[in-house]
């Protein structure tokens, strides 16, 4: 595997072994000095053409904990503002000797284009509405750590609720969860579902109350107002009443059920209760696991097998 641009590029078996590697990384992250020399001498560049807090910091933390050198490309202060094309930017940065680009772009497909212009590994950190593979891996890892059996998500019923239409997280999660053996139901009004669900291995339900008491995982999506060209729900308040997680719905969840969200949350829209007071909320655990999972991906793409085993603390 040279790149990670889509969950499509991974078999169920490959996902399992990345999650096993993430377990080893989580162990590194618990050490007093959470750092290993595995990627010393490698350079990882984050190239974010769209706003991000957690994903960019998570990748940069992951790269640093593996001792890679990191560079951040900030679009707002770059030559892109002088009209430089994406291709020129990539070729210029590549010429400095880069091993991996972590790319986020508002246009679907950009990570594939970029991989034609450089020899570096490309990791997709979100392209348009299309894919966000490391988010799906960290979500799968979080569920597996809490509820998984046989190394996967066999037998679990996961509801993904909300703005599926604009969500690269939903597209990637559906693929990853089902490849690991889970059953996925999408819960949304018709206006927030993709025009066609052909080829999606899911069932659809438009009433959250019909299944909330039966699911193992409630995955809430952010209402992606900035990606909507027109108003797709009568009002955010009406959406929240029908699909938001409030106290009444939270009480109907099974005792073991997890509540997840990729962040950033719209409080009062998809989540009305305070997540900090929810028994099953693993939202901050998702963020913490993101570092271990991204370490696993970087190591898998750039590392050389045995280097991780070094127990010296990597200094
Ligand atoms: C997601 C994204 O950017 O796709 N956020 C993230 O990476 N944690 C989800 C979102 O923006 O709703």
């Amino acid at each position: 595997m040279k790149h990670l641009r889509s969950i499509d590029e991974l078999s169920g078996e490959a996902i399992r072994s990345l999650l096993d590697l993430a377990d080893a990384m989580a162990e590194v992250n618990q050490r007093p000095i959470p750092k290993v020399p595995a990627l010393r001498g490698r350079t990882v560049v984050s190239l974010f053409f769209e706003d991000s807090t957690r994903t960019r910091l998570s990748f940069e933390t992951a790269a640093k904990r593996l001792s890679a050198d990191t560079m951040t490309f900030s679009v707002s202060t770059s030559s892109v503002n002088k009209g430089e094309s994406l291709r020129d930017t990539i070729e210029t940065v590549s010429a400095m000797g880069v091993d991996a680009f972590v790319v986020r772009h508002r246009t679907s497909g950009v990570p594939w284009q970029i991989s034609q212009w450089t020899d570096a590994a490309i990791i997709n950190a979100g392209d348009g509405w299309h894919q966000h593979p490391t988010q799906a891996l960290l979500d799968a890892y979080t569920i597996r750590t809490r509820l998984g059996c046989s190394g996967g998500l066999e037998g679990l019923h996961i509801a993904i609720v909300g703005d599926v239409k604009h969500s690269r997280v939903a597209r990637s999660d559906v693929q990853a969860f089902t490849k690991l053996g889970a059953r996925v139901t999408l819960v949304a009004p018709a206006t927030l579902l993709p025009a066609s669900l052909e080829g999606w291995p899911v069932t659809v339900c438009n009433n959250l109350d019909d299944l909330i008491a039966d699911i193992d995982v409630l995955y809430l999506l952010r209402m992606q107002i900035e990606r909507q060209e027109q108003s797709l729900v009568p009002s955010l308040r009406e959406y929240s009443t029908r699909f938001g997680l409030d106290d009444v719905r939270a009480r109907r969840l099974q005792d073991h059920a997890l509540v997840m969200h990729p962040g950033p949350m719209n409080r009062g829209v998809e989540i009305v209760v305070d997540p900090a007071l929810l028994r099953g909320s693993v939202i901050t655990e998702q963020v913490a696991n993101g570092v271990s999972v991204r370490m696993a991906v970087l190591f898998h793409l750039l590392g050389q097998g045995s280097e991780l085993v070094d127990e010296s603390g990597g200094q």
Side-chain angles (χ1 to χ4, degrees), residues 17-39:
S17 62
L18 276 171
L19 302 191
D20 292 343
L21 191 52
D23 273 329
M25 298 300 175
E27 186 274 310
V28 168
N29 286 330
Q30 273 155 19
R31 295 182 194 169
I33 301 172
K35 195 161 180 169
V36 286
L39 297 187

Side-chain angles (χ1 to χ4, degrees), residues 15-62:
I15 297 176
R16 281 168 211 261
S17 62
L18 276 171
L19 302 191
D20 292 343
L21 191 52
D23 273 329
M25 298 300 175
E27 186 274 310
V28 168
N29 286 330
Q30 273 155 19
R31 295 182 194 169
I33 301 172
K35 195 161 180 169
V36 286
L39 297 187
R40 197 182 278 164
R42 308 285 155 88
T43 302
V44 177
V45 175
S46 44
L47 203 62
F48 278 62
F49 292 89
E50 211 188 57
D51 298 342
S52 168
T53 314
R54 72 207 75 220
T55 305
R56 189 168 61 75
L57 292 179
S58 177
F59 268 110
E60 288 172 7
T61 305

Side-chain angles (χ1 to χ4, degrees), residues 102-125:
V102 177
V103 184
R104 171 170 286 194
H105 202 283
R106 65 178 178 284
T107 308
S108 300
V110 161
W112 282 261
Q113 259 181 316
I114 291 181
S115 51
Q116 293 166 7
W117 301 327
T118 172
D119 291 332
I122 306 299
I123 303 171
N124 184 357

Side-chain angles (χ1 to χ4, degrees), residues 50 54-55 104 125 132 135 168-169 222 224 226-227 262-264:
E50 211 188 57
R54 72 207 75 220
T55 305
R104 171 170 286 194
H132 192 354
Q135 179 72 42
R168 53 196 176 206
V169 173
R222 184 173 65 86
Q224 320 225 347
E226 82 286 5
R227 295 190 192 146

Side-chain angles (χ1 to χ4, degrees), residues 86-111:
L86 181 60
R87 181 172 185 156
D88 287 340
T89 304
I90 297 298
E91 288 178 352
T92 304
V93 181
S94 286
M96 296 175 197
V98 168
D99 298 289
F101 283 105
V102 177
V103 184
R104 171 170 286 194
H105 202 283
R106 65 178 178 284
T107 308
S108 300
V110 161

